[in-house]
DNA sequence: GACGCGCCGTACCGTACGTTACGGTTCGGC
DNA sequence: GCCGAACCGTAACGTACGGTACGGCGCGTC
């Protein structure tokens, strides 16, 4: 009922050592933000700067590789639509919502998004596109089949899956991500996330749940 | 029925010349993002670096002043709740939604948020707090009285104004801001914004509009 | 019309950091 | 045991940029 599949194989030919280096860079990114230096990465990863440049070309290459490396680790649960009833649909939606809130409130996601947002301004690289592709769009790819299945099963009612997805997204994320990115302290406990996921799911069902009885409008 | 009031008077003792300099800095910020240099600002504003440092202290001071200067210009419409009926409530909500989408999709807002997000990582200054205070929180301060008035008038039904506001916020903004910040091209025409504002308002009313007939749950 | 003040333009200083170069060490292959 | 490749640690280089100093100029004041 629930299995994990990578979107794109971005782990192309990365040795264990290289992954370790990228993990070090990632930790540094979380701690220091975009002003991490090549020297700091080399020291933290116990490798030479020469190696960093040989492997990743330049600073932007290292940053890109780091972001892709982390992005390749973010997986959203995938659910198939067999034997769908209201209970399992609700559970699936709540799980998506919960996973997503968990992701966007994690230190790693915040740091990565901060860097990507910063770089999106000066269009040197496409960190923003990478983050978007592995975040928001990956989520949509996973969720839409569930929505479609829900519609097939007569549980949901909507015209356009993309629009329905965006409504769900808005109900789940609300102002959380932008507030976190802007530095607002916003403690999201496990319980709060669960509650928000349930609320968002109920709201979504209220908007797009198929009417059971006869209904105008 | 609709008047404009500043939140905080941050235009404290800014001469016209200083405002012009900040406008130049702002334009540069929109064009070049955070890697704008003091030299560039001085050249664009036709002033000397010495003056910049005398007026704003250092680079962060200039950035902060620029952000506050722009923030002080962003005003969300204020609406009072007299003679509220469903039509005027709907119109108010749509106007809020439309204004907000207009703001967050503007080049200026995107540039400012990018800078603020970047700086929120390395907590040197509080640009993030400034942006948040004049954006998301200012919106809440303006909208909540309308929601409360709607509840008083028996048009809306919700337990907590803050939660209701966040729901509305989510329905309006959805994934727009994060996508724009991450560099996604996302053309928001006047018409599209109007449509989204109407849709979000209708969804909000569907969730929180007071039930007219007898109704369980 | 001399003086002082505020500001422009620009040259200059110091530093941080990206990038490169190089000597020393480990290690697998023969 | 020797060779070369890969890599570590560090020193060195070049540059961009934040910050400062200084000469010149317009302008209000006496």
């Amino acid at each position: 009922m629930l299995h994990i599949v990578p979107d794109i194989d971005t782990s192309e030919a990365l040795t264990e050592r290289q992954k370790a280096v990228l993990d070090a860079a990632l930790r540094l990114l979380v701690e220091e933000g975009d002003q991490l230096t090549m020297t700091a990465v080399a020291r933290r990863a116990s490798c030479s700067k020469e190696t960093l440049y040989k492997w990743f070309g330049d600073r932007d290459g290292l940053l890109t590789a780091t972001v892709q490396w982390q992005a390749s680790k973010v997986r959203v649960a995938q659910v198939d639509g067999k034997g769908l009833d209201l209970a399992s649909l609700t559970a699936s939606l709540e799980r998506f919502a919960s996973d997503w809130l968990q992701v966007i409130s994690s230190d790693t996601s915040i740091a990565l998004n901060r860097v990507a947002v910063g770089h999106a301004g000066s269009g040197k690289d496409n960190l923003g596109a990478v983050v978007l592709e592995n975040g928001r769009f990956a989520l949509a790819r996973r969720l839409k089949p569930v929505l479609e299945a829900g519609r097939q099963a007569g549980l949901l009612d909507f015209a356009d899956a993309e629009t329905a997805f965006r409504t769900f997204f808005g109900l789940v994320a609300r102002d959380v991500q932008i507030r976190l990115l802007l530095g607002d302290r916003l403690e999201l406990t496990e319980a709060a996330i669960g509650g928000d996921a349930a609320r968002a799911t109920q709201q979504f069902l209220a908007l797009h749940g198929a009417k059971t009885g006869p209904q105008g409008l």
Side-chain angles (χ1 to χ4, degrees), chain A:
Chain A
M1 184 70 182
L2 194 150
H3 51 121
I4 305 290
V5 183
D7 265 344
I8 312 160
D9 187 16
T10 45
S11 56
E12 32 153 340
L14 281 181
T15 67
E16 289 307 311
R17 180 76 180 110
Q18 286 171 327
K19 293 178 189 172
V21 170
L22 291 182
D23 274 331
L26 191 59
R27 259 176 295 133
L28 224 41
L29 208 61
V30 171
E31 293 171 19
E32 309 200 2
D34 197 9
Q35 86 280 24
L36 93 168
T37 70
M38 298 299 276
T39 304
V41 173
R43 194 161 40 224
R44 177 69 71 97
S46 293
C47 75
S48 73
K49 289 207 272 180
E50 184 177 38
T51 302
L52 289 184
Y53 282 100
K54 181 192 290 194
W55 285 350
F56 306 109
D58 58 5
R59 186 174 182 278
D60 276 346
L62 173 62
L63 239 39
T64 304
T66 304
V67 170
Q68 282 176 335
W69 166 235
Q70 168 59 18
S72 76
K73 291 194 289 189
V74 176
R75 290 289 126 73
V76 193
Q78 195 172 47
V79 183
D80 65 23
K82 288 209 271 284
L84 204 61
D85 59 9
L86 184 57
S88 67
L89 175 64
T90 304
S92 291
L93 293 179
E94 283 193 18
R95 183 176 172 83
F96 271 104
S98 176
D99 281 358
W100 186 242
L101 286 171
Q102 206 92 48
V103 167
I104 66 175
S105 64
S106 71
D107 285 349
T108 311
S109 164
I110 293 174
L112 249 49
N113 274 276
R114 286 210 177 113
V115 173
V117 163
H119 280 234
S122 56
K124 299 182 302 187
D125 42 29
N126 55 346
L127 289 188
V130 171
V131 169
L132 223 35
E133 196 53 45
N134 290 277
R136 144 84 222 307
F137 290 117
L139 182 62
R141 282 194 296 278
R142 293 288 157 67
L143 190 50
K144 278 186 194 172
V146 175
L147 298 181
E148 305 274 18
R151 182 166 58 177
Q152 286 295 323
L155 298 169
L156 293 177
D157 179 27
F158 56 83
D160 174 39
E162 173 72 8
T163 305
F165 166 78
R166 294 181 73 193
T167 294
F168 184 69
F169 184 99
L171 288 171
V172 173
R174 302 187 293 176
D175 57 357
V176 171
Q177 192 165 21
I178 188 64
R179 284 174 70 176
L180 289 173
L181 289 182
L182 284 171
D184 194 1
R185 311 278 176 233
L186 197 58
E187 296 297 332
L188 282 193
T189 64
E190 194 90 17
I193 288 181
D196 281 346
R199 176 200 42 74
T201 300
Q202 288 310 314
Q203 288 178 322
F204 182 74
L205 290 175
L207 290 174
H208 287 298
K211 313 298 180 296
T212 51
Q215 185 100 12
L217 182 76

